[in-house]
Amino acid sequence: GAVVSQHPSWVICKSGTSVKIECRSLDFQATTMFWYRQFPKQSLMLMATSNEGSKATYEQGVEKDKFLINHASLTLSTLTVTSAHPEDSSFYICSSRRERGTDTQYFGPGTRLTVL
Amino acid sequence: DQQVKQNSPSLSVQEGRISILNCDYTNSMFDYFLWYKKYPAEGPTFLISISSIKDKNEDGRFTVFLNKSAKHLSLHIVPSQPGDSAVYFCAARRQTGANNLFFGTGTRLTVIP
């Protein structure tokens, strides 16, 4: 299967700071990348869809000004959690898809964010 | 609003026996269903899928069954192996090419040697 990497794997930050998480598609150029969030004992929830070269599409209830997504190249998407608060502590996971219409998403290993 | 549900958080099975993981959904508009397997510290990996026009799909030791009238699907693993121990997520998609996958909360399978 395809390889998707995320960096960092775990980050602890102070409340009010911003954190950037990188997602890289190592095996193929991903026209679309996705960002998910998973709270403890809950399912993965899609936050936003990121298309290379265009603005991200956010799901209902996700603040686009708080969760900045940049997809500057076909192999890299970044998620920046701005002015992080303890309630943003969660497991953030990205996935990539080769082309629209295909069903398989390849997931990264995830990033655990803890905001103190 | 949890549209995909996996009501069993964990399951233990003896090696060589059958593992049956269950998943229920509420949205009748879902037309494609997927199972992902996740090991610790790794992202979910795609395992097997099924379209709503089918009721069964088989791939080696893995078979997925879909009962549309009951809005229920299950993943059968036969025979179960210790390497199958992982968290299994069920996911559903609403329409062809749609971005949004709706995930269940996962079932942790432990295969006992």
Side-chain angles (χ1 to χ4, degrees):
Chain A
V3 178
V4 176
S5 70
Q6 277 184 244
H7 177 79
S9 57
W10 195 0
V11 57
I12 301 173
C13 70
K14 290 183 178 180
S15 185
T17 59
S18 294
V19 175
K20 180 187 283 189
I21 303 170
E22 291 185 350
C23 176
R24 293 183 184 273
S25 176
L26 301 180
D27 282 2
F28 62 88
Q29 294 182 325
T31 56
T32 306
M33 299 177 90
F34 305 90
W35 286 96
Y36 292 82
R37 180 169 53 183
Q38 184 181 23
F39 291 108
K41 297 185 180 180
Q42 295 186 24
S43 55
L44 286 163
M45 298 292 290
L46 181 66
M47 297 175 66
T49 302
S50 168
N51 293 300
E52 187 266 339
S54 62
K55 289 185 178 180
T57 303
Y58 290 81
E59 295 299 307
Q60 193 173 10
V62 178
E63 299 174 58
K64 61 180 181 181
D65 295 329
K66 181 170 184 60
F67 299 98
L68 301 178
I69 291 172
N70 183 281
H71 193 159
S73 78
L74 286 169
T75 58
L76 173 65
S77 176
T78 60
L79 168 68
T80 301
V81 183
T82 62
S83 187
H85 290 281
E87 57 266 29
D88 298 323
S89 299
S90 185
F91 187 68
Y92 293 85
I93 189 164
C94 71
S95 70
S96 62
R97 184 176 72 186
R98 266 196 180 91
E99 56 193 35
R100 190 172 181 82
T102 60
D103 301 305
T104 304
Q105 294 182 25
Y106 299 92
F107 286 84
T111 297
R112 182 160 301 283
L113 171 64
T114 301
V115 184
L116 303 176
Chain B
D1 178 26
Q2 192 70 33
Q3 298 188 50
V4 179
K5 300 176 184 179
Q6 292 176 258
N7 292 320
S8 298
S10 63
L11 174 69
S12 291
V13 171
Q14 205 73 32
E15 180 179 4
R17 298 288 189 98
I18 183 172
S19 294
I20 300 177
L21 297 102
N22 293 304
C23 178
D24 297 292
Y25 61 96
T26 58
N27 192 334
S28 58
M29 298 300 291
F30 288 145
D31 68 348
Y32 198 82
F33 303 89
L34 307 92
W35 284 94
Y36 282 83
K37 180 168 71 172
K38 185 182 183 303
Y39 293 116
E42 295 183 15
T45 55
F46 171 73
L47 193 58
I48 192 170
S49 63
I50 188 168
S51 165
S52 61
I53 62 174
K54 294 185 176 181
D55 55 18
K56 177 182 174 181
N57 188 27
E58 190 173 352
D59 183 3
R61 296 186 298 114
F62 302 91
T63 303
V64 55
F65 295 93
L66 175 62
N67 183 334
K68 284 176 59 181
S69 60
K71 295 192 179 67
H72 177 84
L73 64 155
S74 60
L75 174 67
H76 293 211
I77 306 174
V78 183
S80 301
Q81 299 174 354
D84 296 329
S85 298
V87 177
Y88 289 79
F89 290 95
C90 161
R93 188 197 67 194
R94 207 161 40 205
Q95 64 187 60
T96 301
N99 293 330
N100 207 350
L101 286 179
F102 294 85
F103 282 86
T105 50
T107 297
R108 180 178 299 280
L109 173 66
T110 302
V111 180
I112 304 165

